[in-house]
Amino acid sequence: MAAEPPPLPPHEATYEVLRHGKKIGELSVSLEQLDNGVWHYRSDTRATAWWVKALNVSAEESAHFVWRGDRIVMLTYHHAQKAPANNRFFQHRTDWDAGTTEVRTEDGRQTVELLDNMVDPLSLRLQLAVNLADEVQRRKTHDFTLLDRDEVKEKQYSFDGEEALEVPAGCFEAVRIRRIENPGSDKHNLSWHAADFHWMPVRILRQEDGKDKLDIRLLETDLPLDGC
């Protein structure tokens, strides 16, 4: 009997990163299944603007996980951010038998209790894509229990509309998803997801005080794209 295909296919993709409308870098992601059956998702951001290169700013993330049906079971996560006078890191390694994960940051280490369906920042992105692939769930609010550094946070994402979207990789019929912020917040986090890209984001936009602060747009991928 053939094994069921994974909820998301292995792939590579590159995004352009714009700050206040000007390109400052590129973000590369890759999703692959290792020989032991564990999945590895990696994200690397590198500078392209000369002034960002001069500051030697970079960021990388990686996560290992397994699929349990259409749900992610996280195993490890690593995040490292390099910037002048602000080098930060966060990593964890789960022990599901003990029901805990060991978290390390630049401030030290501690043990955090695991909760069902808990996600890290990278696996949240993939799990949201899988949720959106289900037409029944697509227009509902998506609740996540996020392990963010050494804190456990509840995050919600809601359907915010549909539109045709043009990005460097092409034109997509996309759904727009909005992260629900605290009352009174001046921040808005939006993402656009397309069936042609297996409901993974083709654009991510962060706004503050009514202005576009960070804009991440799909440049290319090794997955076939039909577009609009």
Side-chain angles (χ1 to χ4, degrees):
M1 209 171 173
E4 289 189 13
L8 292 174
H11 68 277
E12 295 183 356
T14 303
Y15 297 78
E16 64 175 0
V17 181
L18 291 84
R19 185 176 178 86
H20 302 302
K22 296 182 179 180
K23 183 173 178 178
I24 61 168
E26 292 187 354
L27 184 153
S28 299
V29 300
S30 66
L31 176 64
E32 63 175 334
Q33 186 175 24
L34 306 179
D35 291 340
N36 60 2
V38 170
W39 286 79
H40 181 220
Y41 190 43
R42 183 178 179 88
S43 169
D44 292 290
T45 303
R46 63 179 182 85
T48 56
W50 69 267
W51 61 272
V52 185
K53 288 182 178 180
L55 292 174
N56 199 21
V57 174
S58 64
E60 64 177 41
E61 292 179 273
S62 64
H64 291 89
F65 65 91
V66 293
W67 292 108
R68 182 179 294 159
D70 62 356
R71 300 293 308 185
I72 282 176
V73 179
M74 62 182 193
L75 300 175
T76 72
Y77 173 79
H78 172 79
H79 172 90
Q81 175 182 309
K82 186 177 181 181
N86 188 26
N87 292 334
R88 306 182 74 195
F89 78 93
F90 153 40
Q91 63 187 46
H92 77 77
R93 181 178 298 274
T94 64
D95 183 341
W96 284 98
D97 290 335
T100 60
T101 186
E102 182 184 58
V103 177
R104 293 183 59 201
T105 71
E106 67 278 357
D107 297 323
R109 66 177 67 195
Q110 67 181 88
T111 300
V112 174
E113 182 181 354
L114 288 168
L115 301 173
D116 287 342
N117 299 328
M118 182 180 279
V119 291
D120 54 58
L122 271 184
S123 56
L124 186 154
R125 186 185 304 170
L126 298 178
Q127 188 63 62
L128 178 58
V130 174
N131 292 359
L132 294 174
D134 183 347
E135 189 173 3
V136 175
Q137 294 190 63
R138 196 169 303 149
R139 290 166 176 78
K140 295 182 177 180
T141 297
H142 305 271
D143 298 296
F144 293 96
T145 301
L146 173 66
L147 177 60
D148 186 6
R149 289 178 64 81
D150 52 2
E151 294 183 86
V152 177
K153 301 178 179 179
E154 300 300 324
K155 295 292 183 180
Q156 291 185 309
Y157 294 77
S158 64
F159 175 80
D160 197 54
E162 297 177 314
E163 62 183 293
L165 179 72
E166 187 84 31
V167 295
C171 175
F172 297 89
E173 295 292 344
V175 298
R176 186 174 61 250
I177 301 295
R178 179 181 296 272
R179 191 176 77 187
I180 299 175
E181 307 294 344
N182 294 328
S185 173
D186 62 356
K187 298 179 181 179
H188 299 279
N189 286 275
L190 301 167
S191 57
W192 286 258
H193 304 255
D196 286 338
F197 194 43
H198 298 268
W199 300 104
M200 290 175 288
V202 295
R203 185 186 182 192
I204 301 170
L205 177 64
R206 181 181 301 164
Q207 297 175 319
E208 291 187 15
D209 296 323
K211 298 179 181 179
D212 294 353
K213 182 177 181 181
L214 197 65
D215 196 354
I216 302 172
R217 305 187 299 191
L218 183 65
L219 275 174
E220 59 184 6
T221 177
D222 59 358
L223 293 175
L225 300 175
D226 293 330
C228 297

